[in-house]
Amino acid sequence: MKYRKLGDSDLEVSEISLGSWLTYGVGVEADAALACLDAAFEQGINFIDTANVYGRGAAETFLGQALKQRPRDSYILATKLYFPMSDSDRGLSARQIEKQLDASLQRLQVDVIDLYQCHRYDDDTPLEETMAALTRAVASGKVRTIGFSEWPAERIQAALDLTGVTKFVSSQPQYSLVWREPEDDVIPLCAANGISQIVWSPLGQGVLSGKYDPDRPPPSGTRAASEAMGGWMDRLMQPKVLRAVQQLKPIAEEAGLTLPQFALAWVLREPNVASAIIGASRPAQVIENSHASGLIVDTQLFLRAEAIIDAALAN
């Protein structure tokens, strides 16, 4: 496993990290989730990402129980806030940051969160209030560094323009061969300002594994076939996208890789990406995906893959 510096922080995160959206505490049985977590540590993964809203606290609770026997300095723990935790609890107000941070610390059974992230931008709270509250969270010792997820470039710049506040070190966008939107504005802005990307859905929620046949229903046991985990995949499960993904398999084989490894290596080719967050329901997936770290792939193979996907998405 290779490691990369997270923005301007002193954190060194594994190129492949383990996420818990729709999986741990929700869609994956506890024993399987524990096996995946064990496999992650065995492969050298040191970065675990979650959020308070995943299972309304269930993912954080699972991780708190699962990680408490491990040395605290053996992993970097990231969580988020913004989405509703109750009918009255949501957003990035100072009150919510203080309340949700303490709740996350309790569920995760730790004294400090290494990376505390704004899950989305809060249009209902002044940015100055949010950044001041995050700055106090860092000063209190409860948070080491701060980041954001899916903020537009103009909001990122507005935060950078504020003085006297703690600076963001990470951005968490969706980014993959089938979703390249961050390349336009977010990645260049972040790269120029010491902010790294930690990418969610680098395999297009499993579509870039190549396991979905455009002419057949999703296989039993896969995310797309799961009522709990498959509800966000409609855009990626289009036949034209699935057919294009099938065309990537020979290119991956030419590189000597599985398709998931090829797709993860494509994400990691971007220097501003510090880590690609994988989701896994089986340890074998963790092991296979971890082997994408440190790979050197012929750029021409990546360009061929991009052309195939771009053509499919343009139609």
Side-chain angles (χ1 to χ4, degrees), residues 72-109:
R72 183 61 184 89
D73 61 0
S74 69
Y75 60 91
I76 294 169
L77 191 57
T79 192
K80 318 176 195 72
L81 84 157
Y82 167 79
F83 287 109
M85 289 298 285
S86 73
D87 291 342
S88 59
D89 289 309
R90 66 169 294 277
L92 302 175
S93 69
R95 178 179 174 275
Q96 281 298 306
I97 288 172
E98 183 175 346
K99 179 178 182 178
Q100 299 304 329
L101 172 57
D102 285 345
S104 287
L105 287 166
Q106 185 173 9
R107 285 190 293 265
L108 290 165
Q109 302 186 46

Side-chain angles (χ1 to χ4, degrees), residues 29-276:
E29 294 293 334
D31 287 348
L34 284 170
C36 288
L37 196 61
D38 288 343
F41 279 97
E42 289 166 5
Q43 294 300 310
I45 289 175
N46 73 344
F47 185 34
I48 310 297
D49 181 77
T50 190
N52 62 350
V53 77
Y54 297 165
R56 288 280 180 94
E60 286 185 334
T61 299
F62 164 78
L63 287 170
Q65 193 68 22
L67 292 170
K68 69 179 182 180
Q69 303 303 327
R70 294 184 180 273
R72 183 61 184 89
D73 61 0
S74 69
Y75 60 91
I76 294 169
L77 191 57
T79 192
K80 318 176 195 72
L81 84 157
Y82 167 79
F83 287 109
M85 289 298 285
S86 73
D87 291 342
S88 59
D89 289 309
R90 66 169 294 277
L92 302 175
S93 69
R95 178 179 174 275
Q96 281 298 306
I97 288 172
E98 183 175 346
K99 179 178 182 178
Q100 299 304 329
L101 172 57
D102 285 345
S104 287
L105 287 166
Q106 185 173 9
R107 285 190 293 265
L108 290 165
Q109 302 186 46
V110 294
D111 296 323
V112 60
I113 289 167
D114 300 303
L115 176 64
Y116 200 45
Q117 303 159 97
C118 302
H119 212 158
R120 293 296 184 270
Y121 188 82
D122 184 359
D123 288 310
D124 297 325
T125 301
L127 178 61
E128 293 80 1
E129 177 181 342
T130 295
M131 297 306 296
L134 291 171
T135 300
R136 289 193 295 273
V138 173
S140 74
K142 295 178 181 179
V143 171
R144 290 180 68 184
T145 61
I146 59 172
F148 56 83
S149 178
E150 297 291 352
W151 279 28
E154 62 270 18
R155 302 302 189 187
I156 301 170
Q157 185 62 61
L160 289 167
D161 290 340
L162 294 178
T163 58
V165 297
T166 299
K167 181 176 172 292
F168 286 125
V169 300
S170 71
S171 162
Q172 186 172 144
Q174 180 177 186
Y175 184 50
S176 71
L177 262 169
V178 293
W179 187 263
R180 298 177 61 184
E181 188 175 303
E183 292 177 351
D184 294 336
D185 301 307
V186 169
I187 288 178
L189 175 60
C190 290
N193 287 280
I195 299 172
S196 292
Q197 310 302 313
I198 48 176
V199 176
W200 66 273
S201 201
L203 296 179
Q205 295 178 56
V207 167
L208 284 165
S209 69
K211 62 189 171 189
Y212 298 115
D213 187 320
D215 301 312
R216 291 188 175 88
S220 175
T222 62
R223 176 171 290 189
S226 166
E227 185 175 337
M229 297 188 288
W232 302 82
M233 297 180 64
D234 290 350
R235 186 191 68 85
L236 297 176
M237 290 296 291
Q238 298 176 39
K240 66 179 183 181
V241 176
L242 299 181
R243 289 192 179 93
V245 169
Q246 294 301 314
Q247 295 177 55
L248 302 184
K249 287 183 176 180
I251 301 176
E253 289 172 3
E254 194 172 335
L257 305 174
T258 65
L259 185 50
Q261 290 168 347
F262 181 85
L264 288 166
W266 180 89
V267 167
L268 292 170
R269 90 208 183 290
E270 167 55 58
N272 188 234
V273 171
S275 189

